[in-house]
Amino acid sequence: MATKCGKCGPGYPTPLEAMKGPREEIVYLPCIYRNTGTEAPDYLATVDIDPKSPQYCQVIEAEDIHAKCGLGYVHTSHCLASGEVMVSTLGDPKGNGKGGFVLLDGETFEVKGTWEQPGGAAPLGYDFWYQPRHNVMISTEWAAPNVFRDGFNPAHVEAGLYGSHIHVWDWQRHEIVQTLPLQDGLIPLEVRFLHNPDAAHGFVGCALSSTIQHFYKNQGGTWSVEKVIQVPPKKVKGWLLPEMPSLITDILLSLDDRFLYFSNWLHGDLRQYDISDPHRPRLTGQLFLGGSIVKGGPVQVLEDQELESQPEPLVVKGKRVPGGPQMIQLSLDGKRLYITTSLYSAWDKQFYPDLIREGSVMLQIDVDTIKGGLKLNPNFLVDFGKEPLGPALAHEPRYPGGDCSSDIWL
C-alpha cells in the first residue's frame, strides 16, 4: 500500500497484515458541483474521521481537482508495479464509447500514453482490476458518455446501449482474450478480485439488473462467470417505471476475503454477504439508509418479494438523509463502513432532487466481523450541504495509505 505510485507506503506484505494497521483518521472524497446550480470548481475534500479529534466529522481541507488533472471521461485509477498510474476511460473526447486505459507518470501525473495495444480498446469501459499472478485483468462497461451523462433514459435500454459484458485481458500482452456475456447483467460497474493475490475469483456488481456476478478461472486457463445474487425488483406506483430495480452501484470485499458488501442506491439498503464459498454467497447483514421507497415519499410499493412494509426515512443527528447508499469504503480491520449518497449529478437530479438542493452526506456503519451484521453509528454525519460555496455531491471515500477498493497485492 503506497501513498503515491513508486514509493513505499506503510509496507503491508499481505492483505491480512494490512488488517492489523492503525485506525483511519482522515478520508479523501472528490466533491462535485456540476448540475447543482453552484458555479464552483469540483474539489477534493479531506474529512476528519478520528473520534478523538475536535474536528471529527468536519471537512478540514478542500483542493481544486481540475488544477491537477485535465482528463475527461475517466473513472478508476490503480498504481502499477512500474510506478505508473493506470486510469480507465469511458469514452473518447466526443462522448462516444471507448473502454481504454491511460498511463500517467506516478510522480508528475503527466499522460504517457495508452496501456492497451493500438486499436485494442473495448467498445465500452468503466472499472478494472488486475491479478498479475494469473496474468489477467478484468474490465467492465457502463455506456458511452453520450448515453448516460444527461440522465437515465429507458429507451436506451431497449436500444441495447448499456453494457452487458466483462472483458478478460492478458495482463502481459495488453489485449482482450475473452469477452464474457452476463446473465441478467445490465450495466456491470464495479469489479473486485479477492485480495489474496493467488486467488482466481472475483465479483462484479450489475447495476440495472441488480445482480452480483462471480467470475473465476477454469482448469484450462479460461475464465467463466455466473450469477450468484439477484436482488428482486419492486412493483411500484409513482416512479419512472412500473418496476424499480435496486441499482447496485458499488461493491467491495473485506481484506480477509470473507465478506462482500454492496449498496442498492434506489431501494436504499446496504448488504453484507459471507463469501467463504464464492459460488454461494450467504446474506449476513442488511441495513436501510434512505432510498426511494421510504414511507411518506412519492413512491408506493405495490408488490415486494423481500419486505412486508416500506422502510422508515433515515434521520441522523436531526437531518433527514437524502438519496440512498452509494459509494462505500471499509476500514482496514473490517469493522467500519463509510457510505456516501450521491451517484452522478445528472442521475441524482433525476432520481433524488433533494440531493441537488441539500447536498450529499457521509455516514458510518459499525460491522460485526464475527457473526455478520450492520449497525448505523448515530453520532457520525458529514453534511456536504453545509460547504462554504453551497451544497456539494461527495463521491468515493479513499484513505491516504490505501484501502479495500484501491490496493492490489502483486
Side-chain angles (χ1 to χ4, degrees):
M1 304 174 98
T3 53
K4 60 180 178 179
C5 291
K7 301 296 183 183
C8 291
Y12 304 119
T14 68
L16 295 182
E17 284 298 315
M19 295 187 74
K20 303 173 185 177
R23 179 178 173 136
E24 64 284 355
E25 295 182 348
I26 63 171
V27 67
Y28 300 133
L29 301 99
C31 293
I32 309 300
Y33 278 122
R34 280 166 284 170
N35 293 319
T36 65
T38 299
E39 295 296 328
D42 300 339
Y43 65 99
L44 185 69
T46 302
V47 178
D48 189 326
I49 54 174
D50 179 3
K52 300 185 297 294
S53 170
Q55 296 175 305
Y56 183 52
C57 291
Q58 295 179 30
V59 177
I60 57 176
E61 186 177 350
E63 185 173 9
D64 186 349
I65 292 176
H66 297 293
K68 299 280 185 171
C69 175
L71 297 174
Y73 300 130
V74 298
H75 185 260
T76 300
S77 63
H78 283 298
C79 291
L80 307 185
S82 63
E84 298 167 306
V85 181
M86 184 167 160
V87 183
S88 61
T89 68
L90 284 75
D92 63 21
K94 296 182 179 180
N96 301 308
K98 184 179 182 181
F101 304 89
V102 178
L103 290 175
L104 307 179
D105 184 280
E107 295 286 345
T108 66
F109 297 104
E110 293 180 357
V111 176
K112 298 182 66 175
T114 58
W115 176 84
E116 72 275 9
Q117 298 290 347
L124 299 171
Y126 189 71
D127 196 19
F128 73 101
W129 197 284
Y130 62 92
Q131 200 80 319
R133 296 188 189 182
H134 293 281
N135 188 36
V136 69
M137 180 178 80
I138 305 292
S139 69
T140 63
E141 47 183 40
W142 185 358
N146 287 337
V147 171
F148 66 74
R149 65 184 175 190
D150 293 327
F152 175 69
N153 184 345
H156 291 157
V157 180
E158 296 295 326
L161 299 183
Y162 282 104
S164 59
H165 300 79
I166 58 173
H167 304 283
V168 182
W169 299 73
D170 185 296
W171 181 243
Q172 294 181 347
R173 299 206 312 262
H174 300 194
E175 62 185 20
I176 295 174
V177 291
Q178 284 182 267
T179 293
L180 302 176
L182 302 172
Q183 176 193 0
D184 301 323
L186 278 176
I187 313 187
L189 294 181
E190 307 294 337
V191 56
R192 305 285 184 262
F193 262 100
L194 298 190
H195 293 288
N196 179 352
D198 289 321
H201 295 265
F203 296 90
V204 174
C206 296
L208 194 57
S209 296
S210 307
T211 62
I212 298 293
Q213 309 277 338
H214 164 232
F215 59 85
Y216 56 94
K217 190 177 183 179
N218 300 305
Q219 192 170 7
T222 59
W223 293 77
S224 294
V225 64
E226 61 179 347
K227 181 177 74 170
V228 291
I229 299 172
Q230 173 76 66
V231 180
K234 302 182 188 299
K235 292 186 178 181
V236 294
K237 181 181 179 181
W239 194 66
L240 176 68
L241 298 169
E243 288 195 344
M244 180 189 290
S246 75
L247 210 71
I248 298 173
T249 52
D250 198 14
I251 70 170
L252 60 74
L253 308 181
S254 59
L255 286 175
D256 58 3
D257 294 329
R258 182 184 171 193
F259 290 115
L260 162 72
Y261 299 89
F262 66 83
S263 54
N264 291 313
W265 190 59
L266 289 177
H267 287 182
D269 59 313
L270 175 72
R271 300 194 183 198
Q272 176 197 50
Y273 283 78
D274 186 310
I275 53 169
S276 301
D277 180 354
H279 295 278
R280 296 173 180 83
R282 179 174 59 88
L283 181 65
T284 51
Q286 183 178 19
L287 183 65
F288 277 85
L289 301 165
S292 293
I293 60 167
V294 295
K295 291 180 180 178
V299 177
Q300 179 185 357
V301 177
L302 304 177
E303 185 176 322
D304 194 326
Q305 299 180 39
E306 297 183 313
L307 302 177
E308 294 183 359
S309 62
Q310 295 179 227
E312 297 289 339
L314 179 65
V315 178
V316 181
K317 299 183 75 171
K319 178 179 175 61
R320 178 168 172 158
V321 172
Q326 208 284 91
M327 299 305 293
I328 55 180
Q329 188 56 264
L330 185 66
S331 61
L332 298 185
D333 62 9
K335 295 181 179 180
R336 292 167 300 283
L337 272 165
Y338 297 90
I339 319 293
T340 57
T341 54
S342 165
L343 172 60
Y344 179 75
S345 59
W347 290 44
D348 293 348
K349 187 176 183 178
Q350 182 177 9
F351 293 110
Y352 292 115
D354 287 349
L355 274 176
I356 303 300
R357 293 188 293 268
E358 300 179 28
S360 65
V361 303
M362 183 166 68
L363 308 170
Q364 188 248 302
I365 310 303
D366 293 323
V367 178
D368 186 334
T369 59
I370 306 301
K371 299 179 181 178
L374 305 169
K375 183 179 179 181
L376 177 71
N377 179 350
N379 299 313
F380 186 102
L381 175 72
V382 182
D383 186 356
F384 292 93
K386 296 181 178 179
E387 288 295 88
L389 297 180
L393 303 172
H395 200 58
E396 182 176 19
R398 288 286 181 91
Y399 305 136
D403 47 56
C404 296
S405 57
S406 63
D407 279 30
I408 296 174
W409 274 263
L410 303 179

